[in-house]
Amino acid sequence: MDLTLRNAGRENNPGSARGRIAIVAGIVVSLILAVALLLCGTVDIAPAEVWNALMGGDASAVARMIVNEVRLPMIVTAFCAGMGLAVAGLLLQTTFNNPLAGPSILGVSTGASLGVAVVMLGLGGWLGGGVGYYAGILGGAVAGAGAVMLLLLAFSMLLRGNAMLLIAGILIGYMASSAISLLNFFSTQQGVHSYVIWGMGSFAGLTWERVTVFAPLSLVAVVLSMLFVKPLNAMLLGRRYAESMGVDIRRTRNGLLLLSGVLTAIVTAFCGPIGFLGLVMPHVARMITGTSSHGRLLPATAIFGGGGALLCAWLSVVCGGGQLIPVNAITPLISIPVIIYIIVRRKKL
């Protein structure tokens, strides 16, 4: 799929009506999905009681707890996670000029998973339970993702070509996966079970205390990505053009790698490894907005990523028959048909 910015000076300018309509539509759809998540759950609560629980009216203590302490945090978590992964995917696809680049392809999320595996499978008994255990999981995820990012940054100093750096990232991911397999093999049955559950991904496990950390971190990282709009647009027109416009390719690439890695690490640490959203949502945003200019595409990708995560969260509730289906069981069912449609529609990758 060609990521070249065609006729950048003439079409899809920053004031494009189609781009604005797409962003507004994405916000409206996300709000509708948020309301649907408020009204649906593993426990049936009447819409009037949901409203009263939100507004502080006449509602049971159970309804107040479920709506305010379970469903609302889940909505905020899902939107911020989808937003972060989608933006990370867009940054990587533009950096490598490769439509199949995504947050997990460079091994960052696998590195985060390895850090969590070390905590769950190797140090779980030593850490015990409670706050220390969960802090260890978060710390392990950030440390694992950070280690992979440092390796990628080191390789970027040695490798000039984006394709070679992409291959290096894939190999790092395979090495991390192999280490996880070894930890699983030598761990206890209970440890393996806990890690497998975490690896399925979930938007429903965060309390407000954790959401108030996760959401600001995600929002700040997404806002920082807007600083790269001009370099990203220049990179779409080729390395030589970008350099002629004064873009330091190596420094910009390192900054984009760092930012996309941070976004992926934050989401993985709090929600587990969430697949496919970072790969497919940038393509959805391109199709709907009809532009490759990041001035309009980047915010649209963030909004559609959040909406896509809300859709997956809603499906995990309504299709579970009284239980929550793991998010990673839903994302491929939605994302793979979209990817196939894009391949067939464009006739090439």
Side-chain angles (χ1 to χ4, degrees):
M1 221 171 278
D2 186 10
L3 294 179
T4 303
L5 183 63
R6 296 183 178 90
N7 301 321
R10 295 194 301 272
E11 67 177 13
N12 298 312
N13 57 72
S16 113
R18 180 173 175 178
R20 290 196 302 270
I21 293 172
I23 290 175
V24 172
I27 293 173
V28 171
V29 171
S30 296
L31 289 174
I32 292 173
L33 288 168
V35 172
L37 267 173
L38 277 176
L39 297 176
C40 299
T42 56
V43 177
D44 290 330
I45 303 176
E49 193 167 12
V50 170
W51 174 259
N52 289 334
L54 286 172
M55 297 294 104
D58 185 18
S60 66
V62 172
R64 290 178 188 276
M65 188 275 292
I66 291 175
V67 172
N68 295 315
E69 303 299 328
V70 177
R71 295 183 184 178
L72 275 179
M74 181 179 181
I75 290 168
V76 176
T77 300
F79 188 82
C80 290
M83 179 177 60
L85 291 175
V87 170
L90 176 61
L91 298 182
L92 292 174
Q93 288 170 13
T94 303
T95 300
F96 294 105
N97 193 27
N98 189 323
L100 295 182
S104 59
I105 198 68
L106 290 175
V108 178
S109 59
T110 309
S113 299
L114 175 58
V116 173
V118 170
V119 174
M120 282 189 171
L121 305 179
L123 304 176
W126 180 71
L127 291 175
V131 176
Y133 179 72
Y134 290 107
I137 290 177
L138 296 179
V142 173
V148 172
M149 284 191 292
L150 289 176
L151 283 173
L152 290 172
L153 290 173
F155 276 118
S156 72
M157 301 297 179
L158 304 173
L159 305 173
R160 289 183 58 85
N162 288 336
M164 294 303 297
L165 187 57
L166 185 63
I167 292 172
I170 293 172
L171 294 177
I172 291 171
Y174 279 127
M175 291 179 63
S177 296
S178 177
I180 292 172
S181 297
L182 289 173
L183 285 170
N184 275 308
F185 180 80
F186 289 107
S187 181
T188 63
Q189 183 176 355
Q190 181 180 358
V192 172
H193 177 74
S194 298
Y195 181 76
V196 169
I197 295 298
W198 176 86
M200 291 180 178
S202 175
F203 300 133
L206 300 188
T207 62
W208 276 120
E209 183 179 4
R210 296 178 191 172
V211 170
T212 53
V213 176
F214 170 61
L217 288 175
S218 302
L219 290 171
V220 168
V222 169
V223 170
L224 287 176
S225 69
M226 295 298 297
L227 299 176
F228 288 90
V229 166
K230 289 185 178 179
L232 285 167
N233 284 340
M235 291 171 66
L236 286 177
L237 295 171
R239 184 186 185 95
R240 291 184 179 179
Y241 176 83
E243 290 176 342
S244 70
M245 295 296 292
V247 177
D248 187 327
I249 295 296
R250 187 182 294 273
R251 182 178 297 177
T252 300
R253 185 176 66 179
N254 290 347
L256 292 170
L257 279 176
L258 181 62
L259 186 56
S260 59
V262 167
L263 279 166
T264 305
I266 291 170
V267 175
T268 305
F270 285 89
C271 304
I274 307 297
F276 287 100
L277 286 177
L279 172 62
V280 73
M281 296 317 296
H283 294 299
V284 172
R286 287 189 191 94
M287 286 192 299
I288 295 176
T289 61
T291 183
S292 291
S293 175
H294 289 77
R296 192 64 67 182
L297 179 61
L298 206 156
T301 299
I303 292 169
F304 291 137
L310 288 173
L311 176 61
C312 292
W314 179 73
L315 289 174
S316 72
V317 172
V318 299
C319 298
Q323 298 181 1
L324 283 177
I325 298 176
V327 174
N328 280 333
I330 299 294
T331 52
L333 299 178
I334 297 176
S335 302
I336 290 177
V338 175
I339 296 172
I340 293 174
Y341 169 76
I342 293 169
I343 293 173
V344 173
R345 182 171 178 262
R346 297 295 295 272
K347 305 297 184 185
K348 62 177 181 177
L349 283 176

